[in-house]
Each structure stands twice: as C-alpha cells, then as structure tokens.
Amino acid sequence: MTDSTPTMMELNGVTKEFVKPTGEVHTVLRNIDLKIPKGEFVSIVGPTGCGKSTTLSLIAGFEPPSAGEVLISGEKLEGINPRAACVFQTENAFPWKTVIDNVSLGLRMRGRSKADAYEEARKWIARVGLKGFEGHYPSQLSGGMRKRVALAQCLIVQPEILLMDESFSALDVHTRHLMEDELLRIWEETSASVFFITHDLEEAIALSDRVIVLTAGPGATIKGDYRIDLPRPRNVAEISFDPAFMRIHKQIWEDLKDEVMISYENANKLHSKSS
C-alpha cells in the first residue's frame, strides 16, 4: 500500500458501550482510531473479550458506535454496510440447499436470473476447489469444504470488504493451512479489503499486511499497529520458518502477552468475587 491508496474503512474516536442487566454501563472499546486502505489485509488480535468481534460488528454495521464514527470510503456508515460480506466461525450454508444453490443465493437475491447466477456460481465453486460438488448438500461435505462454500458465498457478490471472524479456528491445522493459502490466493486476485479476527498470532502474521493489537478490556484501545513486511505470495505453512517472521512474532508477542496476562488476572478477580 502507498500513501496515495484510498482509505476503505476508518474508525474515528470510536467508543462502544453496552448496558448490563444491572443497569451498569460496560465499555467494550474506547477511542479507537483506525484506517484501513483499499485492498489491505489487516488482522486484529488481542485477549479474549477485548472487543475484536465488536469492532467487526461496527464495520459491518450490525451495531452503531456509542461515540465516534465509522466511515466507509469516506462516507459515514448508517445501518448495514452494503459493501461488506462476512465469514464467521459458524456455518453460513443452508443445510437444505445444495452447494450451487447456497453459492448462487447472493446473486439471486440481487435480482440475477437463476441461469446467470448458476453460471457465475460454477466459476466460484471451481475457484475454491469444489468442482464436481455442485449438487452436494452441506452435510455431505467436510469442515474444510464447507468453509470453501462459505468463501464462495461471500466472494461471488464481489464485496469490497471481507470481514472474517475466527473463520478457520474450528478446522484441524492441516485443513486450516490449506484454507489460509486458498484465501490468500483469491484475495490476491481481487481488490477486497480484509478485516480478519483471530486468536492465532502466527495466522495473523502469515496472512496480513498489518496486525493490530488490542489491549485487555474493558475499554480496550489499540496498543500496537505492526506492518508485516514479508514478501508475497506466501505459503502459510512455510513462512513461519522465515527468520524475519520469527522476529516479527517476537516483537508483537511482547505487546500481546502483557494484555493476555491482564485479561487472565481480571477473569480470576471476577471469578473470586462471584464464588
């Protein structure tokens, strides 16, 4: 990315609060400032409960900020973000629909004819390595194959923003590496900006142009913003052996481990109070 690359996602002074059943106000995020240029792959890491998924929800438009603003291509986001598609940890596919029906659904909902939607769906099914499985149902597919369906479902509508929340965490390590490589291959062929949530620091570094570290909650803020200056294309399983990767990992982990310990200590305090 260069200084002239236009900004796709921007959070300006964003704070997010929720009211607990007791009436107490709980601050999840506080004064978040973040700019993500068009086409950049950004991962966000931090301890459990620090607000990573809340940040994604704000960008998706599922939740409004309590203070500050979310901008998409310079325009204030109001309601659901029409430029974004989401891939979550849970399954996206409808179990009663075949692969081709699931993948083509987004285009059908946008008014495309069944024939046109099927034609485009076949291309995306092939791109994610599922050619020949068009007539299968999700229950007939492995976990990795269902994740490929989820990717095709999102990418067929050609989103400008791809939001991914722990999308590969439930997969075994070998399947996860395959899916990560598949994601990078497809991303490099598109101009989508990616906002990727993960608990796995190695995954974040291997995939990303930047890694954002959040502090422990409540009231999480951005502690670190790291440029991942590793060459592309990358092989996720192999890049972790690169000495440059190891140096970056050590640097980011120094920031992250302190926040993980704070989160752990806070959780123990809450447990002690409740017991």
Side-chain angles (χ1 to χ4, degrees), residues 9-15 30-36 68-69 210 212 221-222 225:
M9 296 171 269
E10 186 171 355
L11 279 65
N12 288 331
V14 166
T15 293
R30 178 179 286 116
N31 295 328
I32 300 292
D33 291 314
L34 178 63
K35 289 185 178 182
I36 300 176
E69 59 182 4
R210 286 163 65 198
I212 308 298
T221 61
I222 292 176
D225 186 340

Side-chain angles (χ1 to χ4, degrees), residues 66-103:
S66 304
E69 59 182 4
V70 178
L71 303 177
I72 305 298
S73 290
E75 298 181 0
K76 185 176 180 180
L77 179 63
E78 302 281 359
I80 298 298
N81 187 346
R83 303 188 183 194
C86 302
V87 182
F88 297 107
Q89 183 177 351
T90 53
E91 302 294 342
N92 288 357
F94 291 107
W96 60 88
K97 289 183 177 290
T98 62
V99 168
I100 195 166
D101 283 326
N102 270 294
V103 174

Side-chain angles (χ1 to χ4, degrees), residues 91 138 141-149 167 170-171 175 179:
E91 302 294 342
L141 306 176
S142 68
M145 294 168 80
R146 289 195 295 272
K147 284 300 178 187
R148 292 172 186 267
V149 173
S167 303
L171 303 176
T175 304
M179 287 304 307

Side-chain angles (χ1 to χ4, degrees), residues 240-259:
S240 60
F241 297 105
D242 189 313
F245 179 99
M246 296 177 188
R247 287 194 297 272
I248 294 169
H249 187 283
K250 184 176 186 298
Q251 183 184 17
I252 300 177
W253 175 241
E254 289 299 317
D255 255 359
L256 181 58
K257 71 177 181 181
D258 293 337
E259 301 307 317

